[in-house]
Amino acid sequence: KWKGEGTTQNLESIVIGRCYDYIRIVNPAVGEKNCSQIWEAFKNAFINKDPCSILPEDYELFINLTLHTIPPNKSLFWENNQLLVNSFADRGRRYMSLGDTLFGFVVDFLNWCGQADSPGLDYESCPTTMECENNAVESFWRMASITYARHSSGVIQVLLNGSADGGAYPQPGFFADYEIPNLQKDKISQIVIWVVDDIEGPDIDSCGTHSVKTLETRLKTLGYDVTCTDNKKSVMFLLCLD
């Protein structure tokens, strides 16, 4: 028995339903997609396999079937503030975060894993990242992050949590390890960093200090035009509202 929670109940219905929700209601601009084919490709990435030996590449077919254009200037990267990002991006209306793409949307907040030598899903427990890095969920989000970064263009937004333990820019982290290295420099005009503190939270990190300074230096060294703003007003309004 693994330490993590098991596969989300009704996973197949949720994934297929979200897929139709996305292409019909959330973002019909992506055009026609085959939602049952997308589910099969997703499931085949990890079923019948040791749940600790799933690689990002295993999701390649799923990614190819769900891929669509990410509008320029709409990409919103983040660390340690998923719920805030969801409300700020507003399902792609303001920005299109990874969770607002079709490939991110269909499985956002879900959990899943299979079992070696069994076609079934494991509803009892799934491995955590501490137990093994190459688990079904971790490898999925690595592949999704790499894809998202590669298809982002124009002005890139990054929303970081200035109250996060250990700093706003975690290393290791998805943004540091999978997204920055896969940005396509020739397609990006500027990188805009927003560091937002929790309303009641401590001010641990800000532009030009600690881990944010490390991030700014890294991006500038890579040749990007970088700006940084503390506690951007529109995001603070959302936090106040919540």
Side-chain angles (χ1 to χ4, degrees):
K1 191 166 163 58
W2 301 106
K3 291 192 173 73
E5 57 178 275
T7 299
T8 308
Q9 297 287 337
N10 310 103
L11 182 71
E12 178 176 356
S13 306
I14 295 172
V15 170
I16 293 175
R18 281 186 182 181
C19 174
Y20 282 117
D21 185 28
Y22 192 89
I23 65 172
R24 298 286 178 253
I25 316 285
V26 178
N27 189 6
V30 300
E32 203 51 43
K33 301 282 182 189
N34 185 331
C35 292
S36 21
Q37 205 181 354
I38 284 169
W39 159 255
E40 289 300 323
F42 174 69
K43 180 184 70 176
N44 289 334
F46 62 89
I47 59 158
N48 264 324
K49 295 179 189 172
D50 169 356
C52 275
S53 58
I54 312 297
L55 299 173
E57 304 76 86
D58 294 336
Y59 290 100
E60 219 161 292
L61 177 59
F62 167 84
I63 292 288
N64 290 340
L65 292 171
T66 51
L67 199 56
H68 57 82
T69 306
I70 296 167
N73 313 321
K74 290 279 193 178
S75 290
L76 176 62
F77 294 84
W78 57 273
E79 285 283 6
N80 296 317
N81 48 23
Q82 187 171 11
L83 295 174
L84 174 61
V85 164
N86 282 7
S87 53
F88 186 48
D90 196 18
R91 281 190 153 188
R93 199 173 63 84
R94 289 193 201 96
Y95 293 97
M96 187 179 281
S97 70
L98 174 50
D100 306 307
T101 63
L102 175 57
F103 47 95
F105 184 85
V106 292
V107 296
D108 216 10
F109 296 105
L110 305 181
N111 209 47
W112 63 91
C113 66
Q115 308 163 64
D117 311 317
S118 155
L121 300 167
D122 190 341
Y123 292 102
E124 295 302 304
S125 65
C126 289
T128 61
T129 301
M130 296 301 282
E131 291 175 286
C132 61
E133 285 205 350
N134 291 335
N135 67 61
V137 176
E138 181 80 7
S139 288
F140 174 87
W141 287 112
R142 284 181 187 169
M143 186 65 173
S145 292
I146 290 167
T147 306
Y148 179 68
R150 284 182 182 160
H151 289 84
S152 293
S153 64
V155 179
I156 303 291
Q157 285 76 212
V158 186
L159 183 57
L160 301 175
N161 184 342
S163 302
D165 283 344
Y169 169 58
Q171 289 176 283
F174 276 87
F175 185 55
D177 300 341
Y178 299 101
E179 293 171 337
I180 293 174
N182 284 289
L183 292 172
Q184 306 294 299
K185 190 165 178 308
D186 54 332
K187 297 198 301 187
I188 292 166
S189 53
Q190 191 182 33
I191 297 182
V192 175
I193 302 167
W194 295 318
V195 184
V196 175
D197 301 327
D198 297 339
I199 294 290
E200 302 288 321
D203 175 7
I204 294 173
D205 223 340
S206 313
C207 294
T209 63
H210 307 303
S211 76
V212 183
K213 186 175 186 180
T214 307
L215 171 60
E216 290 176 80
T217 305
R218 178 179 177 185
L219 293 172
K220 284 173 183 166
T221 306
L222 289 168
Y224 291 106
D225 172 12
V226 182
T227 64
C228 187
T229 307
D230 285 311
N231 293 322
K232 182 179 165 67
K233 220 164 186 173
S234 53
V235 186
M236 296 306 286
F237 287 147
L238 265 181
L239 280 173
C240 290
L241 193 62
D242 289 344

